[in-house]
Short mmCIF file of all heavy atoms in Angstrom, two decimals:
data_model
loop_
_atom_site.label_atom_id
_atom_site.label_comp_id
_atom_site.label_asym_id
_atom_site.label_seq_id
_atom_site.Cartn_x
_atom_site.Cartn_y
_atom_site.Cartn_z
N SER A 355 19.15 30.99 -20.36
CA SER A 355 19.44 29.97 -21.38
C SER A 355 20.30 28.85 -20.80
O SER A 355 20.09 27.68 -21.11
CB SER A 355 20.14 30.61 -22.57
OG SER A 355 19.32 31.60 -23.17
N GLY A 356 21.27 29.24 -19.98
CA GLY A 356 22.14 28.23 -19.38
C GLY A 356 21.38 27.31 -18.45
O GLY A 356 21.60 26.09 -18.45
N LEU A 357 20.46 27.86 -17.66
CA LEU A 357 19.67 27.03 -16.75
C LEU A 357 18.76 26.07 -17.50
O LEU A 357 18.65 24.89 -17.14
CB LEU A 357 18.84 27.93 -15.82
CG LEU A 357 19.60 28.70 -14.74
CD1 LEU A 357 18.67 29.68 -14.03
CD2 LEU A 357 20.21 27.73 -13.73
N GLN A 358 18.12 26.55 -18.56
CA GLN A 358 17.22 25.69 -19.33
C GLN A 358 18.00 24.57 -20.02
O GLN A 358 17.57 23.41 -20.00
CB GLN A 358 16.46 26.53 -20.37
CG GLN A 358 15.45 27.48 -19.76
CD GLN A 358 14.83 28.41 -20.79
OE1 GLN A 358 15.23 28.41 -21.96
NE2 GLN A 358 13.88 29.21 -20.38
N ALA A 359 19.13 24.90 -20.62
CA ALA A 359 19.93 23.87 -21.30
C ALA A 359 20.48 22.86 -20.30
O ALA A 359 20.47 21.65 -20.56
CB ALA A 359 21.07 24.54 -22.06
N ALA A 360 20.95 23.34 -19.15
CA ALA A 360 21.48 22.43 -18.14
C ALA A 360 20.38 21.53 -17.58
O ALA A 360 20.63 20.35 -17.30
CB ALA A 360 22.13 23.23 -17.01
N LEU A 361 19.17 22.06 -17.42
CA LEU A 361 18.07 21.23 -16.94
C LEU A 361 17.74 20.13 -17.94
O LEU A 361 17.51 18.98 -17.56
CB LEU A 361 16.83 22.10 -16.70
CG LEU A 361 15.57 21.36 -16.25
CD1 LEU A 361 15.82 20.58 -14.97
CD2 LEU A 361 14.41 22.34 -16.07
N ALA A 362 17.74 20.47 -19.23
CA ALA A 362 17.48 19.45 -20.26
C ALA A 362 18.55 18.36 -20.23
O ALA A 362 18.24 17.16 -20.29
CB ALA A 362 17.42 20.11 -21.64
N LEU A 363 19.81 18.77 -20.13
CA LEU A 363 20.89 17.79 -20.06
C LEU A 363 20.78 16.94 -18.80
O LEU A 363 20.96 15.71 -18.83
CB LEU A 363 22.23 18.51 -20.09
CG LEU A 363 23.48 17.64 -19.91
CD1 LEU A 363 23.60 16.62 -21.05
CD2 LEU A 363 24.74 18.51 -19.84
N HIS A 364 20.45 17.57 -17.68
CA HIS A 364 20.33 16.86 -16.41
C HIS A 364 19.20 15.83 -16.47
O HIS A 364 19.32 14.72 -15.92
CB HIS A 364 20.08 17.85 -15.28
CG HIS A 364 20.33 17.28 -13.92
ND1 HIS A 364 20.16 18.00 -12.76
CD2 HIS A 364 20.73 16.04 -13.51
CE1 HIS A 364 20.44 17.25 -11.72
NE2 HIS A 364 20.79 16.05 -12.15
N LEU A 365 18.10 16.17 -17.12
CA LEU A 365 16.99 15.22 -17.26
C LEU A 365 17.42 13.99 -18.06
O LEU A 365 17.02 12.87 -17.74
CB LEU A 365 15.80 15.91 -17.93
CG LEU A 365 15.02 16.89 -17.06
CD1 LEU A 365 13.99 17.63 -17.91
CD2 LEU A 365 14.33 16.17 -15.91
N PHE A 366 18.23 14.20 -19.09
CA PHE A 366 18.71 13.07 -19.87
C PHE A 366 19.61 12.17 -19.02
O PHE A 366 19.47 10.94 -19.04
CB PHE A 366 19.49 13.58 -21.09
CG PHE A 366 20.13 12.48 -21.89
CD1 PHE A 366 19.38 11.73 -22.78
CD2 PHE A 366 21.48 12.19 -21.74
CE1 PHE A 366 19.97 10.71 -23.51
CE2 PHE A 366 22.07 11.17 -22.46
CZ PHE A 366 21.31 10.42 -23.35
N ILE A 367 20.52 12.77 -18.25
CA ILE A 367 21.40 12.00 -17.38
C ILE A 367 20.58 11.27 -16.32
O ILE A 367 20.84 10.09 -16.01
CB ILE A 367 22.43 12.93 -16.72
CG1 ILE A 367 23.32 13.58 -17.79
CG2 ILE A 367 23.29 12.18 -15.71
CD1 ILE A 367 24.21 14.68 -17.26
N PHE A 368 19.60 11.95 -15.76
CA PHE A 368 18.75 11.36 -14.73
C PHE A 368 17.99 10.15 -15.27
O PHE A 368 17.96 9.09 -14.64
CB PHE A 368 17.77 12.42 -14.22
CG PHE A 368 16.79 11.92 -13.20
CD1 PHE A 368 17.16 11.76 -11.89
CD2 PHE A 368 15.49 11.62 -13.57
CE1 PHE A 368 16.25 11.30 -10.94
CE2 PHE A 368 14.58 11.15 -12.64
CZ PHE A 368 14.95 11.00 -11.32
N CYS A 369 17.39 10.30 -16.46
CA CYS A 369 16.65 9.18 -17.06
C CYS A 369 17.56 8.01 -17.37
O CYS A 369 17.18 6.85 -17.20
CB CYS A 369 15.93 9.66 -18.32
SG CYS A 369 14.57 10.81 -18.00
N SER A 370 18.78 8.30 -17.84
CA SER A 370 19.74 7.24 -18.13
C SER A 370 20.10 6.47 -16.87
O SER A 370 20.14 5.23 -16.85
CB SER A 370 21.00 7.84 -18.76
OG SER A 370 21.99 6.87 -18.94
#
Side-chain angles (χ1 to χ4, degrees):
S355 299
L357 288 172
Q358 291 173 355
L361 177 58
L363 176 62
H364 197 180
L365 286 172
F366 175 80
I367 298 170
F368 177 80
C369 291
S370 175

